[in-house]
Amino acid sequence: MMKTPITVLQELMVKFSQSPEYECIAQSGPQHLAVFEYRCSARGHVVSATARSKKEAKQEAARLMLARLAAAGLNVPAPYAAPCPPCPPAVGDGDAVAAGSGSRSYKALLKELCQEYNLPGPEYTLEGDTGPAHARRFTARGAVGAHARVASATTKKAAQQLAAQQLYHYLRENLARLTEDFVEEDALARAHERAMERYVEARADAPHRPDLAQRVADYHLEEEQVNLGADALEAASPDAEPETALQAVAGALGLRVEWHSLPAEQGGSLTLVRLAPSSPPLVFCARTREAAAAEALAYLRLTMKFRDQK
């Protein structure tokens, strides 16, 4: 039987005559949908993790600590030496991992893992939402067959991503010998290709291009195209050039990317990028093409997040 992260971390710390420290630092949500956050400290490192039970949160915190120690050069046994994204910096910032600009889509990874090893497809349900309108927290449940995880965040999509992340790591750890040939970067590339294939098929069935409003509050793309754009954003590699990512996302939304250059008053020139057709025009300006593309991507990301909260 495979050892749990808590056991592996305890055995590792014994070699240094030390013990890891655990602390339950937060509990949120109603009693029947409570979410617990555990903090783990060891060798000068601190990580935190959330789950629907204290036991699962503690195990997840131990797993994250093992990955952190492995990155610091300690000899951590497989599969716990696998790299993981940085932990949220503060309590309540549950979507920092899932929705950060440098993160990867665990929903896409989980879906690819299930397809490759003939597991039931992941399913997501909204379990509840709490808090005032300006500080809403959503609780989502992700399930693969009989396995399920629940997570909460400030948006529905971020909560789903966190649930998918917990499920993905659980399956990789417990099926380590069977999934050792699963390459995450290849899986993300396949997810991106499928998203683009769906876009091409959708464009063949509905070739019109909807207008895009300048104000986020007036954003009114059709649901299918919003989903395609969101898929393209999620599937984009964190290391991709902003221009490449913008081209993929704009294409999924049915928009052209047009580049223009204007002379600047203080010398040099300004780069303009326009997403067309849109009414009123969507134009973003910066000193370089990369910076202009990054501005446009930031706007689209904010728009998708707003749409997801509605």
Side-chain angles (χ1 to χ4, degrees), residues 105 157 161 195 198 223-236 249 252-253 300 304-305 308:
S105 171
K157 185 169 294 184
Q161 283 283 5
R198 290 197 299 272
E223 190 67 28
E224 176 63 22
Q225 292 198 280
V226 171
N227 292 336
L228 290 171
D231 287 346
L233 274 173
E234 290 182 3
V249 176
L253 293 171
L300 292 175
M304 297 298 175
K305 182 176 181 180
D308 189 53

Side-chain angles (χ1 to χ4, degrees), residues 75-133:
N75 185 21
V76 176
Y80 300 113
C84 63
C87 295
V91 177
D93 193 18
D95 45 343
V97 172
S101 59
S103 65
R104 56 184 52 198
S105 171
Y106 281 94
K107 288 179 66 177
L109 281 173
L110 182 60
K111 183 177 181 180
E112 289 296 322
L113 182 74
C114 292
Q115 289 181 346
E116 187 155 337
Y117 296 98
N118 298 317
L119 294 170
E123 298 180 354
Y124 303 94
T125 55
L126 180 64
E127 297 286 293
D129 59 275
T130 59

Side-chain angles (χ1 to χ4, degrees), residues 152-226:
S152 64
T154 54
T155 68
K156 299 173 187 177
K157 185 169 294 184
Q160 290 176 358
Q161 283 283 5
L162 284 173
Q165 179 183 359
Q166 294 175 22
L167 270 173
Y168 173 77
H169 285 305
Y170 172 79
L171 292 174
R172 288 303 304 271
E173 290 165 7
N174 287 274
L175 301 175
R177 294 181 181 178
L178 301 178
T179 64
E180 59 185 0
D181 57 342
F182 184 77
V183 181
E184 292 187 355
E185 296 305 325
D186 292 346
L188 288 172
R190 290 195 300 271
H192 177 69
E193 290 176 1
R194 289 196 178 100
M196 293 308 298
E197 288 173 0
R198 290 197 299 272
Y199 157 67
V200 172
E201 293 173 358
R203 294 295 295 151
D205 295 335
H208 78 283
R209 297 179 182 232
D211 286 345
L212 195 67
Q214 181 71 46
R215 293 170 53 207
V216 173
D218 296 334
Y219 195 67
H220 59 277
L221 280 178
E222 293 180 1
E223 190 67 28
E224 176 63 22
Q225 292 198 280
V226 171

Side-chain angles (χ1 to χ4, degrees), residues 5-302:
I6 290 179
T7 301
V8 174
L9 180 58
Q10 182 66 36
E11 292 177 351
L12 180 65
M13 296 304 295
V14 166
K15 298 178 182 179
F16 301 97
S17 300
Q18 298 176 1
S19 294
E21 297 181 2
Y22 299 94
E23 181 184 4
C24 184
I25 58 176
Q27 178 179 342
S28 60
Q31 185 174 3
H32 66 290
L33 290 174
V35 176
F36 300 91
E37 182 168 5
Y38 253 80
R39 176 187 293 157
C40 177
S41 305
R43 301 288 292 175
H45 300 278
V46 179
V47 299
S48 62
T50 59
R52 274 293 301 277
S53 70
K54 292 182 178 180
K55 181 179 179 180
E56 290 182 356
K58 190 175 180 180
Q59 290 284 6
E60 180 66 8
R63 187 193 66 77
L64 291 174
M65 178 56 73
L66 287 169
R68 181 71 62 84
L69 294 176
L74 271 66
N75 185 21
V76 176
Y80 300 113
C84 63
C87 295
V91 177
D93 193 18
D95 45 343
V97 172
S101 59
S103 65
R104 56 184 52 198
S105 171
Y106 281 94
K107 288 179 66 177
L109 281 173
L110 182 60
K111 183 177 181 180
E112 289 296 322
L113 182 74
C114 292
Q115 289 181 346
E116 187 155 337
Y117 296 98
N118 298 317
L119 294 170
E123 298 180 354
Y124 303 94
T125 55
L126 180 64
E127 297 286 293
D129 59 275
T130 59
H134 67 281
R136 211 74 172 156
R137 285 196 73 82
F138 298 89
T139 300
R141 179 179 185 270
V144 173
H147 304 289
R149 292 292 184 275
V150 177
S152 64
T154 54
T155 68
K156 299 173 187 177
K157 185 169 294 184
Q160 290 176 358
Q161 283 283 5
L162 284 173
Q165 179 183 359
Q166 294 175 22
L167 270 173
Y168 173 77
H169 285 305
Y170 172 79
L171 292 174
R172 288 303 304 271
E173 290 165 7
N174 287 274
L175 301 175
R177 294 181 181 178
L178 301 178
T179 64
E180 59 185 0
D181 57 342
F182 184 77
V183 181
E184 292 187 355
E185 296 305 325
D186 292 346
L188 288 172
R190 290 195 300 271
H192 177 69
E193 290 176 1
R194 289 196 178 100
M196 293 308 298
E197 288 173 0
R198 290 197 299 272
Y199 157 67
V200 172
E201 293 173 358
R203 294 295 295 151
D205 295 335
H208 78 283
R209 297 179 182 232
D211 286 345
L212 195 67
Q214 181 71 46
R215 293 170 53 207
V216 173
D218 296 334
Y219 195 67
H220 59 277
L221 280 178
E222 293 180 1
E223 190 67 28
E224 176 63 22
Q225 292 198 280
V226 171
N227 292 336
L228 290 171
D231 287 346
L233 274 173
E234 290 182 3
S237 169
D239 300 324
E241 295 292 333
E243 290 183 47
T244 303
L246 177 61
Q247 192 67 49
V249 176
L253 293 171
L255 300 171
R256 297 190 309 275
V257 179
E258 300 176 352
W259 295 95
H260 305 278
S261 181
L262 292 177
E265 293 181 0
Q266 303 298 327
S269 62
L270 294 175
T271 298
L272 301 180
V273 58
R274 179 175 184 266
L275 304 181
S278 62
S279 178
L282 279 174
V283 180
F284 305 89
C285 178
R287 286 286 181 181
T288 65
R289 287 173 65 105
E290 182 179 5
E295 289 289 335
L297 276 173
Y299 171 83
L300 292 175
R301 230 175 243 116
L302 178 62

